[in-house]
Amino acid sequence: MAEENPKFPLAPPRNEYPRSDQEYAPAVIESQRKSSKCLVYVLVTIVTVSAALLISASIFLRPNTPEVQLESVTVKNLSHGNGTSPSFNVTLVTELTIDNENYGYFEYKNCSGSVFYGSVTVGDVKIRDGRVEAREVKRINVTVDVDVRSNGNLDNQNLSSDRNSGIVKLNSYAKLHGNVNLFNVLKKTKTPELDCSMNLVLARRAVEDLVCSS
Ligand SMILES: *[C@@H]1O[C@H](CO)[C@@H](O)[C@H](O)[C@H]1NC(C)=O
Ligand SMILES: *[C@@H]1O[C@H](CO)[C@@H](O)[C@H](O)[C@H]1NC(C)=O
Ligand SMILES: *[C@@H]1O[C@H](CO)[C@@H](O)[C@H](O)[C@H]1NC(C)=O
Ligand SMILES: *[C@@H]1O[C@H](CO)[C@@H](O)[C@H](O)[C@H]1NC(C)=O
Ligand SMILES: *[C@@H]1O[C@H](CO)[C@@H](O)[C@H](O)[C@H]1NC(C)=O
Ligand SMILES: *[C@@H]1O[C@H](CO)[C@@H](O)[C@H](O)[C@H]1NC(C)=O
């Protein structure tokens, strides 16, 4: 028996509900499909954009450690003492390069390093603070006074034999303290190291076999 609801006279009779459900259902599913398609597009776009950002970030925002090397060493004012206490003084004029491969500048503080004869410090390396622009190689000249005397813990025998052989092995070491600044977004501390060995050939007043580890 079909009874009309007196409160909702326009409401469809109860037995017609199934049909109206059938009529409305496809439209609802279609709009759900549309919105889920749209959601997939949005998600794909977000994932794609994020991936592109990540890839470019890993290329542009990955701070590399700049490379410090001794490019050349010129020997000035070489003098060596003779006799019971062998010694020599030399001024090394060195040309350093700081290679900054980053897409941001590298700023470093004043720093000091050393020149070693064996394990003994025979000279101070002073590097003034400065800045290397993005993807640039900066060249700086550093003058080092080396004073080797057979005093203190300096091995007397070795110095005599080295002097007689005419070749003095020296090592130089310095560590820069600085920051790589990427697009003013990322600031990363980097401490590139200079670590080189060389032979000072007395007779030729020259430095040979300059080797730097990187
Ligand atoms: C070498 O010695 C001379 C005189 O002693 C001095 O005038 C000159 O500045 C020295 N050169 C270097 C590079 O130290
Ligand atoms: C090296 O220099 C020091 C002072 O800096 C001096 O006393 C010494 O005699 C010099 N040695 C030689 C071999 O010139
Ligand atoms: C040191 O002195 C000895 C003898 O006094 C001499 O034969 C030698 O050539 C000298 N060496 C240098 C580097 O002056
Ligand atoms: C670095 O050293 C120079 C002198 O060698 C000095 O004038 C300058 O003030 C120093 N900079 C800093 C930040 O200490
Ligand atoms: C001195 O000579 C010894 C033996 O030849 C060697 O092991 C040592 O490394 C040398 N020291 C220096 C400072 O050259
Ligand atoms: C370093 O020294 C060399 C030769 O002495 C000179 O040609 C060059 O211009 C200098 N570089 C700097 C940055 O002062």
Side-chain angles (χ1 to χ4, degrees):
M1 252 212 296
E3 283 178 6
E4 269 195 19
N5 192 333
K7 277 182 184 168
F8 304 102
L10 288 178
R14 215 175 270 172
N15 62 349
E16 282 186 20
Y17 271 133
R19 215 173 59 189
S20 73
D21 272 358
Q22 277 166 5
E23 271 172 13
Y24 289 117
V28 168
I29 288 171
E30 199 169 300
S31 82
Q32 271 175 356
R33 253 191 215 144
K34 261 187 191 162
S35 70
S36 70
K37 244 187 197 172
C38 193
L39 192 67
V40 167
Y41 287 147
V42 167
L43 283 179
V44 165
T45 308
I46 288 173
V47 168
T48 309
V49 168
S50 311
L53 280 177
L54 265 180
I55 289 169
S56 42
S58 71
I59 292 172
F60 294 109
L61 288 179
R62 185 186 50 206
N64 290 310
T65 304
E67 208 171 83
V68 192
Q69 300 246 301
L70 264 186
E71 205 61 20
S72 70
V73 180
T74 310
V75 174
K76 293 266 170 72
N77 290 357
L78 175 66
S79 64
H80 39 104
N82 209 344
T84 48
S85 60
S87 71
F88 69 92
N89 289 345
V90 65
T91 300
L92 302 176
V93 181
T94 66
E95 189 178 22
L96 271 150
T97 56
I98 307 172
D99 186 357
N100 179 24
E101 286 191 350
N102 294 296
Y103 289 88
Y105 63 83
F106 174 61
E107 212 165 32
Y108 53 94
K109 300 179 191 133
N110 277 348
C111 97
S112 61
S114 302
V115 172
F116 296 101
Y117 174 71
S119 58
V120 181
T121 304
V122 292
D124 294 325
V125 181
K126 295 234 177 292
I127 301 173
R128 272 222 58 177
D129 51 3
R131 174 170 158 154
V132 192
E133 296 306 327
R135 304 192 59 75
E136 266 196 6
V137 180
K138 182 176 179 153
R139 293 173 175 276
I140 44 176
N141 288 343
V142 177
T143 300
V144 185
D145 290 314
V146 174
D147 178 7
V148 182
R149 272 175 281 179
S150 51
N151 57 3
N153 49 5
L154 199 59
D155 190 330
N156 204 325
Q157 292 311 115
N158 285 34
L159 188 52
S160 296
S161 65
D162 273 358
R163 200 194 50 191
N164 290 340
S165 73
I167 294 174
V168 179
K169 279 190 181 301
L170 297 173
N171 291 293
S172 75
Y173 179 83
K175 190 176 188 176
L176 286 180
H177 290 266
N179 288 306
V180 170
N181 192 317
L182 292 164
F183 310 109
N184 289 322
V185 174
L186 199 68
K187 206 171 173 184
K188 191 95 201 262
T189 301
K190 288 290 172 189
T191 53
E193 288 173 62
L194 171 79
D195 191 356
C196 305
S197 70
M198 66 196 88
N199 288 338
L200 174 62
V201 183
L202 298 176
R204 299 183 54 192
R205 294 171 176 265
V207 161
E208 291 180 355
D209 304 313
L210 178 60
V211 179
C212 294
S213 65
S214 51

